[in-house]
Amino acid sequence: MSILVLAGVVTVVAALLYVVLAVLSRRPKPAEREVRAALPGLEIDPFHALTVRSKYSGAMDDDAVATLLLDDLVTIDAEGMMTVTERGRDPRHVPAHPVPAAWLGAVARAGRPVALSEVRRDPELRERCEAFVREQNARHARWMRPVPDRAATAALIVTWLLGFFYAALLLFSGGRRPPGGIAGGLGLTLLLGVLFTALLSWLVSRAFPDPPELFREHCAGLPRHPATGLLGSDRRALLRVSSSYKTEYELHQQRIRDAYDSDSGGF
């Protein structure tokens, strides 16, 4: 059998194998069905659901402040500035949930009327929110892990074998002596094998879907945290103002950037 025929046969067999593996990869897996069946029965914290669907812990901020406003622990004025109320200063009324409690503490530490956009940069607040997210992620780690796709793993193994097969065929076929002898040939085979595999992996990956994020999809379908909706339109508007508020320093920096962009556009 000639080298070209061997290469053609191996390529056709690999292509057929890829087709079979791609079909298998798209079929529902027992582990995936198990996760889908279990998710509706899980108790998922509404704040955690916000961070999962957005992949950002700051997604909890507005709802945490809305909770404080509803419980009369902070007030917000027409300019979006928040202040802790007398009730909020009473340790007996500190929220049981760690996220609103962290926000109440951060607003209190400011010691003055402060906007939501300023408070969210508080290092202690961010650390406490991240700690909450880590604790919740650990609690639901089993369901957050991607469902293993053995068909995609098998396709990756085939890709590596095919990449090194092409490399060895190119360097050692036809009775040619590879540069640097056997040692040099093995080194070049390794290098070319990795390059061929990277190229083949990029092509093959298009035939295999990304693993479904079942937990994130479930969280995206859950009702949003009710706090913001219960505020009423007036306080929701004030909350948006507070969330987008910019300090004088930020406004100054923005004016500098705008001036720079304007000057750059003139050239």
Side-chain angles (χ1 to χ4, degrees), residues 131-242:
F132 165 76
V133 173
R134 289 193 297 270
E135 186 271 331
Q136 292 296 311
N137 286 346
R139 177 186 175 195
H140 297 300
R142 176 185 175 187
W143 311 110
M144 295 182 72
R145 282 193 294 267
V147 176
D149 188 347
R150 293 184 175 85
T153 303
L156 181 62
I157 294 173
V158 171
T159 301
W160 276 95
L161 294 175
L162 198 59
F164 282 99
F165 168 77
Y166 287 145
L169 203 65
L170 180 64
L171 290 170
F172 291 97
S173 63
R176 295 191 301 271
R177 182 179 177 84
I182 298 298
L186 290 176
L188 285 173
T189 300
L190 180 62
L191 177 61
L192 286 176
V194 171
L195 292 176
F196 286 154
T197 300
L199 177 59
L200 288 169
S201 297
W202 179 77
L203 293 172
V204 170
S205 65
R206 296 171 174 266
F208 291 85
D210 293 331
E213 297 184 75
L214 301 178
F215 191 84
R216 184 166 180 258
E217 291 173 8
H218 177 70
C219 287
L222 293 175
R224 289 189 62 89
H225 194 285
T228 304
L230 294 173
L231 273 183
S233 57
D234 291 342
R235 285 200 289 183
R236 278 202 304 272
L238 293 176
L239 192 60
R240 286 193 295 270
V241 171
S242 187

Side-chain angles (χ1 to χ4, degrees), residues 51-86:
T51 66
V52 170
R53 62 177 159 223
S54 65
K55 298 184 177 181
Y56 169 54
S57 65
M60 302 184 289
D61 294 349
D62 286 10
D63 292 276
V65 174
T67 301
L68 299 179
L69 290 168
L70 286 172
D71 291 342
D72 192 30
L73 300 177
V74 301
T75 60
I76 188 167
D77 63 22
E79 295 182 351
M81 295 294 161
M82 299 183 298
T83 308
V84 178
T85 64
E86 288 297 327

Side-chain angles (χ1 to χ4, degrees), residues 114 116 120 128 148 154 242:
V114 64
L116 188 155
R120 64 159 50 105
R128 291 178 66 179
S242 187

Side-chain angles (χ1 to χ4, degrees), residues 84 88-89 103-112 114:
V84 178
R89 295 189 187 95
W103 267 91
L104 180 62
V107 176
R109 282 194 301 276
R112 58 179 175 82
V114 64

